[in-house]
Amino acid sequence: MATKKWRRELPLHLMVIPGLILVLIYHYGPMAGITIAFQKFIPAKGFFDSTWVGLENFRYVMELPDTWQILWNTVYIAVMKIIAGLIIPITISLLINEVGKELIKRGVQTLIYLPHFLSWVILGGILIDLLSPSEGIVNQMLGYLGIEPIYFLGLDAWFPYTLVVSDVWKEFGFSTIVYLAALTSINPTFYEAAIVDGASRWKQTIYITLPGMMPIIILLTTLSLGNVLNAGFDQVFNLYSPQVYESGDIIDTFVYRIGLVDAQYGVATAVGLFKSVVSFFLITISYYLAYRLANYRIF
């Protein structure tokens, strides 16, 4: 019996091998470079001949005046993205679900899903033009309302919220599809019984639709906890400038500048290692909560 099961599952195991090889090469292989975090690394000398400095790189990072501000920016922006990335898709999915005509419903889904396929390199250029304080269409519309032009990408007071809004605009269409799929799993007889009892559409949403979506909402909320230190390097890198470092500089952009621009490889690796360790614990906690609250399992 065991032999038959093995023969039946062997093709599936063989299909996993190419992906496993890629993971080993590009994810586990580079982990040997973690030693750089404990060295004064000089590329010409390599791993073995560079000076070992222990925890000096970590101490140096903690003593930098901008470190805690960067950590705060990362958490603040990431948490806002997580909250907005839950509320907006849930709301839009509920509204789309109320549309009666299937053609309109599918058309709206397609339109809001399209930005997900565009890279931040493209969207960054689009947003820079749209939000330009002199020629951008957004500030032109504000001018018609008697509002002075706002430098969305150049003022610390506006930049974090610009990041959150633009990120939601890009990704909420993808999340909406997940919630719409969850709506299809709700038993339609619940709505029929509610109609017979005289429940309005609002009451049906409160007492049937939202409770039916709750398992997937809890699951995605708990899994998103692992992204608390991921504020979106691609987006920030393409939109920020030295003018908004105080409010927009995050861990990933800091690592990029200090490592590749300033060539402080040991310090940059130390910061990246710190982030990876914290993210590992956050992801572990999030999967445990997903299992406890939503009965979600990887295996």
Side-chain angles (χ1 to χ4, degrees):
M1 188 68 181
T3 304
K4 291 182 178 180
K5 181 180 179 181
W6 170 252
R7 289 178 178 175
R8 185 173 65 253
E9 296 180 353
L10 180 60
L12 300 177
H13 290 285
L14 293 176
M15 290 174 60
V16 173
I17 291 177
L20 182 61
I21 293 174
L22 291 176
V23 170
L24 292 174
I25 294 175
Y26 293 106
H27 291 270
Y28 286 92
M31 289 180 69
I34 290 176
T35 56
I36 298 175
F38 307 97
Q39 297 176 329
K40 186 178 181 181
F41 181 72
I42 299 175
K45 293 184 178 180
F47 295 138
F48 300 104
D49 295 327
S50 294
T51 305
W52 187 268
V53 295
L55 298 177
E56 184 61 32
N57 289 327
F58 295 90
R59 188 178 300 109
Y60 172 78
V61 171
M62 293 303 175
E63 292 176 353
L64 289 175
D66 300 331
T67 297
W68 296 107
Q69 182 63 44
I70 291 170
L71 183 60
W72 164 253
N73 293 343
T74 304
V75 175
Y76 182 60
I77 294 172
V79 169
M80 284 198 299
K81 285 183 178 181
I82 290 173
I83 295 174
L86 289 170
I87 295 176
I88 301 301
I90 292 173
T91 304
I92 298 300
S93 63
L94 291 174
L95 294 175
I96 292 178
N97 190 56
E98 295 299 318
V99 177
K101 295 185 178 180
E102 192 68 22
L103 182 62
I104 297 178
K105 182 184 296 187
R106 293 187 179 277
V108 171
Q109 289 182 50
T110 302
L111 288 176
I112 64 177
Y113 189 40
L114 285 177
H116 173 76
F117 295 99
L118 299 178
S119 70
W120 276 113
V121 176
I122 297 173
L123 287 180
I126 294 174
L127 288 171
I128 289 172
D129 289 337
L130 290 178
L131 301 177
S132 171
S134 57
E135 300 178 354
I137 188 173
V138 174
N139 276 301
Q140 289 182 13
M141 295 176 63
L142 292 177
Y144 294 143
L145 299 175
I147 302 175
E148 293 294 325
I150 300 173
Y151 197 178
F152 292 99
L153 301 178
L155 294 176
D156 287 319
W158 284 98
F159 187 71
Y161 307 105
T162 304
L163 292 177
V164 174
V165 172
S166 58
D167 181 75
V168 171
W169 169 60
K170 182 179 185 297
E171 299 295 344
F172 84 94
F174 178 81
S175 301
T176 298
I177 292 177
V178 177
Y179 292 113
L180 286 172
L183 288 173
T184 61
S185 64
I186 300 175
N187 193 334
T189 58
F190 293 161
Y191 294 103
E192 296 171 1
I195 293 173
V196 171
D197 291 338
S200 63
R201 296 298 299 178
W202 175 250
K203 293 291 185 181
Q204 293 176 40
T205 300
I206 296 297
Y207 295 105
I208 299 176
T209 306
L210 285 178
M213 296 174 63
M214 197 55 63
I216 192 66
I217 293 175
I218 293 174
L219 173 62
L220 295 181
T221 301
T222 53
L223 292 180
S224 65
L225 295 177
N227 292 319
V228 169
L229 292 184
N230 292 321
F233 170 79
D234 292 347
Q235 180 194 21
V236 177
F237 181 75
N238 284 283
L239 294 178
Y240 84 149
S241 63
Q243 295 172 280
V244 290
Y245 277 177
E246 184 177 349
S247 65
D249 200 14
I250 60 174
I251 293 176
D252 291 332
T253 54
F254 175 67
V255 170
Y256 168 81
R257 287 202 318 278
I258 202 170
L260 297 181
V261 178
D262 297 338
Q264 298 185 56
Y265 304 109
V267 177
T269 306
V271 178
L273 179 59
F274 168 77
K275 176 192 171 184
S276 299
V277 172
V278 175
S279 297
F280 172 77
F281 284 107
L282 290 174
I283 292 172
T284 302
I285 293 171
S286 67
Y287 274 98
Y288 174 76
L289 292 175
Y291 168 70
R292 298 293 297 177
L293 299 177
N295 197 30
Y296 173 79
R297 298 181 181 181
I298 303 177
F299 303 105

